[in-house]
């Protein structure tokens, strides 16, 4: 664990615990894997609510620390959203303190580690005014974190006979790339974090070994990670940038934050429990009436949940009957 002071240590919740980026990733991906595995095998178990809380807490803490280091607004918003969902899951009313979901997330992280009775205030230290480090890729930070967690979960689920269609080798490779890229981004944002830099280099070495390439230096191995992700990434925002006043309401980012999962409480009552960035079509979207996935309803259903169907999304600029390619994150 790095001994130096990093931006997240200005937050009392993280100052007391001094978590490493590597540990935050391990905790977040394990919580995500446990929730995914349970939802796929036993979605009606009583433990689902507890696992969902763990997932929101650990993924939220990872997003928050990455946001504090990289100063990326989309990571900050995603961390705050995780905190808001955590508040809702814990049954807090809107007028309960703390009002800010990010404050609640930090307080619960501190409470989890028995620090300062859950206090999450800032410590007295000058704010870093250095410019944010350049993003390692065009994909949004929250989507990169989600892909890292998702590929880990499905690489493990794919090893079971229940999911024979999962390409485990591909999921493992994507997980190695996205995890390494997050470590590289965090290390670049905090050059004194030698542990994160070493972990990013090790991910690059492992990827080159998987690709049957010769070994390189640590810095070149990290560069190989970035190059490999560019090959994976099927979108390049610079090729067709969206305007700031984009009709799809993405504010020029090429992605919109969309609720994907709702929990069913009976009598047709659903509450949102998960959202993430999806591709912006540059215009308001509809759903193809001949969608093979959801038969045009726009949703799919599992016991206790409703999921937004992304396979049939169409732009108002496209023919309504044309089913678009899958836009899964």
């Amino acid at each position: 664990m790095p001994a130096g002071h990093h931006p997240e240590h200005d937050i009392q919740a993280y100052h007391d615990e001094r978590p490493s980026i590597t540990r935050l990733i391990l905790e977040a991906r394990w919580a995500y894997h446990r929730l995914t595995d349970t939802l796929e095998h036993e979605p009606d178990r009583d433990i689902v609510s507890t696992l969902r809380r763990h997932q929101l807490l650990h993924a939220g803490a990872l997003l928050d620390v990455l946001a504090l280091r990289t100063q990326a607004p989309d990571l900050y918003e995603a961390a705050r959203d995780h905190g808001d969902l955590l508040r809702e899951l814990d049954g807090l009313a809107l007028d309960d303190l703390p009002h800010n979901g990010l404050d609640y997330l930090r307080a619960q992280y501190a409470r989890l580690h028995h620090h300062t009775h859950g206090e999450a205030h800032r410590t007295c230290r000058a704010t870093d005014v250095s410019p944010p480090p350049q993003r390692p890729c065009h994909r949004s930070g929250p989507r990169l974190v989600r892909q890292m967690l998702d590929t880990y979960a499905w690489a493990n689920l794919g090893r079971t006979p229940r999911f024979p269609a999962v390409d485990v080798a591909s999921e493992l490779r994507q997980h190695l790339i996205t995890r390494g890229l997050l470590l590289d981004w965090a290390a670049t944002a905090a050059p004194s974090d030698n542990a994160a830099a070493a972990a990013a280099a090790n991910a690059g070495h492992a990827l080159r070994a998987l690709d049957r390439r010769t070994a390189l230096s640590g810095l070149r191995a990290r560069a190989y990670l970035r190059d490999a992700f560019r090959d994976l990434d099927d979108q390049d925002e610079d090729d067709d940038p969206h305007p700031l006043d984009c009709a799809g309401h993405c504010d020029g980012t090429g992605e919109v934050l969309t609720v994907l999962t709702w929990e069913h409480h009976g009598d047709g009552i659903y509450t949102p429990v998960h959202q993430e960035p999806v591709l912006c079509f540059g215009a308001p979207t509809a759903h193809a009436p001949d969608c093979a996935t959801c038969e045009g309803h726009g949703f799919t259903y599992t016991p206790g949940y409703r999921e937004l169907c992304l396979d049939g999304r169409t732009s108002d600029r496209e023919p309504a009957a044309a089913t678009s390619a899958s836009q899964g994150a």
Side-chain angles (χ1 to χ4, degrees):
M1 185 179 298
H5 183 93
H6 302 309
E8 62 266 24
H9 298 157
D10 285 342
I11 307 299
Q12 188 68 52
Y14 306 123
H15 174 84
D16 291 334
E17 183 64 16
R18 295 278 178 118
S20 68
I21 295 293
T22 301
R23 193 187 92 183
L24 288 165
I25 289 176
L26 287 172
E27 292 172 341
R29 74 180 190 181
W30 177 240
Y32 186 90
H33 171 257
R34 290 191 67 202
L35 175 61
T36 304
D37 181 72
T38 304
L39 288 175
E40 291 293 337
H41 290 90
E42 300 176 280
D44 295 324
R45 285 188 63 188
D46 294 338
I47 199 176
V48 167
S49 180
T50 299
L51 295 179
R52 192 178 300 281
R53 188 182 192 282
H54 290 167
Q55 188 270 328
L56 287 170
L57 179 58
H58 289 298
L62 173 60
L63 288 162
D64 188 25
V65 170
L66 287 172
L68 289 165
R69 284 205 186 188
T70 65
Q71 303 174 45
D74 55 354
L75 287 169
Y76 170 84
E77 295 294 334
R80 189 182 64 183
D81 289 341
H82 276 62
D84 287 335
L85 291 171
L86 190 63
R87 280 172 51 92
E88 183 179 354
L89 194 63
D90 287 349
L92 268 69
L94 292 177
D95 56 351
D96 289 339
L97 292 174
H99 298 294
N100 189 312
L102 201 54
D103 290 339
Y104 188 73
L105 173 71
R106 293 169 179 173
Q108 293 307 303
Y109 183 87
R111 193 178 297 277
L112 176 69
H113 296 285
H114 310 290
H115 291 309
T116 64
H117 305 289
E119 294 173 8
H121 57 272
R122 285 188 176 273
T123 57
C124 296
R125 186 177 176 90
T127 303
D128 183 9
V129 294
S130 59
Q134 184 177 0
R135 284 179 180 270
C137 61
H138 294 293
R139 185 162 295 184
S140 75
R143 189 177 175 195
L144 183 63
V145 171
R146 171 61 184 249
Q147 186 177 8
M148 183 272 295
L149 299 175
D150 206 45
T151 50
Y152 177 80
W154 283 103
N156 284 276
L157 289 173
R159 293 190 176 99
T160 67
R162 186 165 180 169
F163 302 99
V166 175
D167 187 343
V168 174
S170 175
E171 296 291 337
L172 282 172
R173 187 173 188 275
Q174 290 186 55
H175 174 69
L176 189 59
I177 293 172
T178 50
R179 180 175 63 86
L181 205 61
L182 287 171
L183 289 164
D184 180 62
W185 195 11
T188 302
S192 63
D193 190 350
N194 296 324
N202 286 338
H205 293 318
L207 180 63
R208 288 190 64 84
L210 187 66
D211 292 345
R212 300 182 184 279
R213 302 290 185 92
T214 56
L216 295 174
S217 66
L219 288 176
R220 293 180 66 190
R222 289 167 62 180
Y224 184 75
L225 281 170
R226 296 189 288 272
D227 291 340
F229 186 82
R230 292 189 190 100
D231 293 338
L232 270 182
D233 203 354
D234 58 0
Q235 62 170 350
D236 188 343
E237 294 171 6
D238 289 339
D239 289 345
D240 187 20
H242 290 230
L244 292 177
D245 59 348
C246 174
H249 305 292
C250 71
D251 298 322
T253 65
E255 293 180 327
V256 289
L257 197 62
T258 303
V259 176
L260 296 186
T261 306
W262 293 261
E263 186 173 6
H264 189 210
H265 297 278
D267 297 327
I269 299 174
Y270 291 89
T271 58
V273 294
H274 174 66
Q275 60 181 349
E276 69 175 76
V278 299
L279 293 182
C280 173
F281 285 172
T285 57
H287 206 83
D290 61 347
C291 175
T293 302
C294 68
E295 299 180 349
H297 298 297
F299 302 97
T300 58
Y301 296 86
T302 56
Y305 293 92
R306 183 178 75 182
E307 308 286 339
L308 182 67
C309 176
L310 298 178
D311 292 347
R313 286 198 311 152
T314 62
S315 167
D316 283 354
R317 299 171 183 170
E318 301 174 359
T323 303
S324 67
S326 174
Q327 303 292 333

